[in-house]
């Protein structure tokens, strides 16, 4: 089965995250603030979500990136942004499962290539933004393919 980014899920996450009852400010973007993924790179593919180079094939790299991303998001699964935290935790788990299972990874990679993603695009691992400083918004090497 092919796993495609769920636009409806992203829209729901954004609505919940921007609700005053579920966030501390109206400009809240959990991908940006917790994982350093700018809006231009959202919704992120599995590689971007984990901070991996496109088409990374080493299981140990996938697992390490998953553990790092979980450590960044885990503190947020309870509290004002719990819905967003839980949704991203589910996305991280799906990304890990897909990229570690060759029967799922191959069709997922083929689908990304069909969208125009090239193996030369990389996303360097960035440090998690602190709560007091804004997330890095510089270029990560990921560019959304032209529609």
């Amino acid at each position: 089965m092919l796993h495609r980014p769920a636009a409806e899920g992203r829209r729901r996450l954004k609505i919940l995250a921007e609700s005053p009852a579920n966030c501390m400010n109206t400009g809240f973007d959990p991908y940006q603030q917790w994982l350093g993924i700018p809006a231009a790179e959202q919704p992120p593919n599995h590689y971007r979500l984990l901070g991996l180079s496109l088409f990374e094939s080493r299981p140990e790299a996938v697992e390490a990136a998953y553990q790092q991303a979980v450590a960044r998001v885990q503190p947020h699964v309870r509290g004002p942004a719990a819905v967003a935290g839980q949704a991203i935790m589910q996305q991280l788990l799906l990304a890990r499962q897909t990229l570690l299972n060759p029967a799922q990874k191959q069709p997922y990679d083929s689908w990304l290539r069909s969208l125009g993603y090239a193996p030369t695009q990389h996303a360097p691992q960035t440090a998690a933004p602190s709560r007091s400083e804004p997330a890095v918004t510089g270029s990560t090497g990921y560019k959304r393919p032209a529609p």
Side-chain angles (χ1 to χ4, degrees):
M1 182 165 102
L2 191 62
H3 298 286
R4 294 188 172 116
E8 180 58 35
R10 174 69 182 125
R11 189 171 26 252
R12 181 172 173 253
L13 176 68
K14 186 173 182 178
I15 290 167
L16 291 169
E18 289 179 351
S19 167
N22 293 317
C23 69
M24 299 180 78
N25 63 39
T26 58
F28 178 71
D29 179 348
Y31 290 116
Q32 173 79 38
Q33 293 186 13
W34 301 338
L35 298 172
I37 302 172
E41 297 174 16
Q42 296 177 25
N45 63 54
H46 292 337
Y47 295 99
R48 182 63 182 109
L49 186 65
L50 296 176
L52 292 167
S53 295
L54 276 172
F55 312 116
E56 174 63 62
S57 61
R58 296 172 299 137
E60 64 276 6
V62 173
E63 185 62 34
Y66 168 76
Q67 294 297 331
Q68 289 177 354
V70 165
R72 293 176 184 167
V73 176
Q74 185 65 42
H76 306 286
V77 297
R78 287 188 167 66
V83 173
Q86 292 167 10
I88 291 178
M89 289 294 285
Q90 289 175 350
Q91 292 172 5
L92 292 170
L93 182 59
L94 177 62
R96 177 184 177 267
Q97 290 172 337
T98 301
L99 299 180
L100 289 177
N101 181 335
Q104 293 178 355
K105 184 181 186 314
Q106 189 278 328
Y108 183 77
D109 288 354
S110 294
W111 176 69
L112 286 178
R113 285 184 182 98
S114 76
L115 294 176
Y117 285 94
T120 57
Q121 297 171 328
H122 298 283
Q125 194 71 356
T126 58
S130 72
R131 291 183 183 201
S132 61
E133 68 183 47
V136 176
T137 60
S139 173
T140 61
Y142 271 90
K143 294 180 182 157
R144 296 194 65 76

